[in-house]
Amino acid sequence: MADAFFSFFVLLPLILLPILYFIVRPRPVKIPIVNRHVFITGGSSGIGLALAHRAAADGARVSIMARSLTKLEEARSSIKHATGVEVAVFAADVRDYDVVKKAVDEAGAIDVLLLNHGVFSALELEKMEMSEVKSTLDINLMGCFNMIKAALPAMKNRKNVLPVSIAMVSSQAGQVGIYGYVAYSASKFGLRGLAEALQQEVIEDNIHVSLIFPPDTDTPGLVEENKKKPELTKIIASSSGFMKADEVAKKAFDGIRRGSFFISCNMEGIALSLATSGLSPQRSFLMAFVEVVTAGILRIAALCFQWNWYGSIEKWHKQRKCSSEIQSS
């Protein structure tokens, strides 16, 4: 017993840590925020507005973009009142590349591109209109392609040599599929493929890509969507945590500064990121060690969650069937 304890807690770290220190890629980086240009999409409300407040308070030059000029002006006033910082606003739809390109060119070279825009609708696929599915994918996924494509040339050709960042706000529903989130999860899972491939393309330009995975967050949009969520979605999603937008914003910028590829916002998110790390980049050899040694136990935990979720689905359908039989008798 003592030999096994010694082997696991002493020998394993001694062997693994030097190997992981050597092989983790990309290498660690520090991305400054002070006096840098931070451009935030979906910046007029919710997490985006909280990100803008945080960036302004941290000494960045801030630009925010959203579709509604009225909401943007309200956001600008709010940020000015709270931080004393004047931010630039751009009214544009991320689905329109030409309009996006014009806004990005007008804003000037970007040091931190924070893609927070997105729409969310919880509904079973059978009940969704295909136009709603397409809109979700166009905004959440294609909108990121448009923004990155528009901003990338100036980010690559910047005059300073400091590292820069492209950060995308995904979701814990972009790490695990949830009942009723078919379109939303598909759009957020797509961001991971985009981020992994893009990081390989831009690493030589000292551009660092991050994925932010917030849980359900206290925003006006979530309040409205909760009214329409399927009952099963509420049951399954309740196993995740709940955060305030300013808490998510702080976690996001902490991760961006470290150049983290995965940025988790709470304990459930950390567990999800460890369980789904797969072939993702990892800068920290210490986190790589945690990923390696927890892989097995987290797979067991994941199977327990699936057992619970599918049990809830089975129970819910049985209750519905019983209710229908009682009403018809």
Side-chain angles (χ1 to χ4, degrees):
M1 185 68 179
D3 289 342
F5 181 90
F6 179 80
S7 296
F8 186 82
F9 289 100
V10 179
L11 289 183
L12 183 63
L14 285 175
I15 295 170
L16 266 183
L17 286 172
I19 295 172
L20 294 172
Y21 179 81
F22 178 74
I23 67 173
V24 292
R25 291 294 187 280
R27 303 306 291 174
V29 68
K30 295 293 183 183
I31 300 174
I33 301 297
V34 177
N35 297 324
R36 312 295 299 285
H37 182 199
V38 178
F39 191 106
I40 303 167
T41 63
S44 63
S45 64
I47 293 175
L49 180 56
L51 289 166
H53 273 274
R54 170 65 59 174
D58 287 351
R61 177 168 72 90
V62 181
S63 298
I64 57 175
M65 191 180 93
R67 283 181 285 186
S68 169
L69 184 57
T70 301
K71 289 185 178 180
L72 282 167
E73 292 294 350
E74 291 173 355
R76 172 155 62 183
S77 176
S78 167
I79 297 166
K80 174 74 171 178
H81 178 74
T83 67
V85 175
E86 188 73 45
V87 304
V89 299
F90 299 91
D93 189 326
V94 293
R95 291 173 292 186
D96 189 329
Y97 175 76
D98 292 333
V99 174
V100 162
K101 184 71 166 64
K102 182 179 178 182
V104 167
D105 289 345
E106 185 180 339
I110 297 167
D111 298 304
V112 178
L113 178 62
L114 234 168
L115 304 176
N116 167 75
H117 62 271
V119 292
F120 170 72
S121 179
L123 197 64
E124 296 93 336
L125 178 59
E126 187 178 6
K127 298 177 181 178
M128 293 185 79
E129 297 292 335
M130 287 310 297
S131 59
E132 190 174 5
V133 175
K134 184 177 185 301
S135 177
T136 300
L137 294 172
D138 283 347
I139 294 171
N140 295 1
L141 182 57
M142 287 306 300
C144 287
F145 276 97
N146 287 336
M147 288 300 308
I148 295 167
K149 175 77 172 174
L152 204 52
M155 295 183 81
K156 282 190 169 189
N157 297 321
R158 66 193 184 279
K159 295 179 181 179
N160 68 68
V161 296
L162 292 173
V164 296
S165 170
I166 298 173
M168 293 172 254
V169 178
S170 180
S171 165
Q172 289 183 358
Q175 296 175 288
V176 59
I178 299 293
Y179 183 102
Y181 286 11
V182 282
Y184 184 70
S185 280
S187 70
K188 294 300 186 177
F189 266 83
L191 292 182
R192 175 164 176 173
L194 165 59
E196 289 189 2
L198 180 67
Q199 181 61 94
Q200 295 181 12
E201 293 184 11
V202 300
I203 188 62
E204 196 62 27
D205 299 290
N206 207 11
I207 300 173
H208 306 276
V209 180
S210 295
L211 280 171
I212 303 162
F213 296 108
D216 280 351
T217 305
D218 186 11
T219 64
L222 182 68
V223 172
E224 288 303 310
E225 285 304 326
N226 277 339
K227 298 174 183 177
K228 299 180 283 186
K229 273 184 183 177
E231 186 179 345
L232 263 176
T233 305
K234 294 178 182 177
I235 293 170
I236 294 173
S238 65
S239 60
S240 179
F242 186 83
M243 294 182 70
K244 293 187 178 298
D246 58 343
E247 295 171 337
V248 172
K250 183 181 184 306
K251 293 288 187 181
F253 274 109
D254 287 346
I256 289 169
R257 285 187 178 90
R258 294 191 301 268
S260 302
F261 185 75
F262 280 178
I263 300 176
S264 303
C265 298
N266 61 4
M267 289 305 298
E268 292 91 343
I270 292 172
L272 265 177
S273 292
L274 289 171
T276 60
S277 56
L279 290 172
S280 63
Q282 178 55 266
R283 296 182 186 278
S284 167
F285 73 98
L286 293 175
M287 280 304 299
F289 176 77
V290 175
E291 289 170 356
V292 170
V293 299
T294 61
I297 191 67
L298 283 173
R299 179 55 181 157
I300 295 172
L303 291 171
C304 290
F305 271 105
Q306 293 291 343
W307 170 77
N308 180 54
W309 292 341
Y310 277 95
S312 297
I313 292 169
E314 182 181 355
K315 180 180 178 181
W316 186 80
H317 281 291
K318 282 182 178 179
Q319 289 175 341
R320 281 194 66 195
K321 185 177 180 181
C322 289
S323 297
S324 298
E325 289 174 350
I326 291 171
Q327 291 175 1
S328 62
S329 61

